[in-house]
Amino acid sequence: MGKVDLLLKEVGHHDHYTVVDPDMLVPDAAKILKDDPSDVLLIYDRETDTFLGSFYLSDLHRVYANPPKGVRKIHKTMISKVMNTNIAVIDWDANISQAWALVSTKRPSAILLVDESKRFAGYLASEDLWAAMEHMERTDEAAKSARKTTKSSA
């Protein structure tokens, strides 16, 4: 009996995200992140029906401390000019091991979940992934322990 590998749709999805337009100004993003610092802003272009990037509180600190080249006035800059564009998409029918492989190889700033119809189904936070991996580890250890007990009593 191998490891129990949970499907992503069985994992509690992180609900601390806000979908925002690419033309949102950085100070407006700061207001959202002030209310919930653990939030992630997912930048979505309604015209193309595409997620373009992500933006976290740490990104806000980074761009104010060291604005990217070409950005002169950060308080007048659109979030699309300073967002993380390395986002990944994974089916929610994928398992935890597949998500971990994605994180290990692509190092995305955000992982978006899509359902069977390829529609946005949620955001997979690193906390969710770690919790699921710890759950798998505990389940695997419990199964090994039960097998040892069964063998020793036989």
Side-chain angles (χ1 to χ4, degrees):
M1 184 172 198
K3 268 191 176 178
V4 176
D5 208 352
L6 296 172
L7 297 180
L8 294 176
K9 67 181 172 184
E10 298 170 338
V11 175
H13 304 123
H14 196 70
D15 59 356
H16 287 279
Y17 65 86
T18 303
V19 177
V20 299
D21 291 323
D23 60 353
M24 172 183 268
L25 296 178
V26 171
D28 295 327
K31 290 175 189 172
I32 294 171
L33 295 170
K34 175 186 71 81
D35 293 335
D36 191 351
S38 66
D39 227 3
V40 60
L41 303 181
L42 300 175
I43 296 81
Y44 176 72
D45 185 347
R46 295 177 200 286
E47 290 178 17
T48 61
D49 190 28
T50 307
F51 282 94
L52 304 173
S54 65
F55 195 77
Y56 298 84
L57 180 61
S58 59
D59 297 318
L60 181 68
H61 294 161
R62 176 183 47 82
V63 300
Y64 267 100
N66 188 18
K69 288 185 181 195
V71 174
R72 299 183 127 205
K73 297 181 179 181
I74 197 69
H75 63 282
K76 292 185 178 181
T77 301
M78 291 185 296
I79 197 169
S80 59
K81 301 291 183 194
V82 294
M83 67 185 174
N84 296 302
T85 56
N86 184 21
I87 57 174
V89 176
I90 191 168
D91 289 337
W92 72 347
D93 284 326
N95 61 41
I96 297 299
S97 298
Q98 291 168 314
W100 184 250
L102 177 68
V103 168
S104 299
T105 57
K106 304 287 185 188
R107 298 195 143 335
S109 64
I111 299 176
L112 307 180
L113 301 171
V114 293
D115 65 14
E116 296 86 359
S117 301
K118 303 299 180 203
R119 292 180 305 223
F120 176 69
Y123 161 71
L124 181 65
S126 55
E127 297 90 13
D128 300 328
L129 189 55
W130 277 113
M133 290 184 66
E134 287 173 351
H135 173 77
M136 282 175 37
E137 215 171 90
R138 285 191 308 272
T139 304
D140 190 46
E141 289 300 318
K144 285 179 184 176
S145 177
R147 283 194 301 272
K148 285 180 184 176
T149 304
T150 303
K151 284 181 182 178
S152 64
S153 64

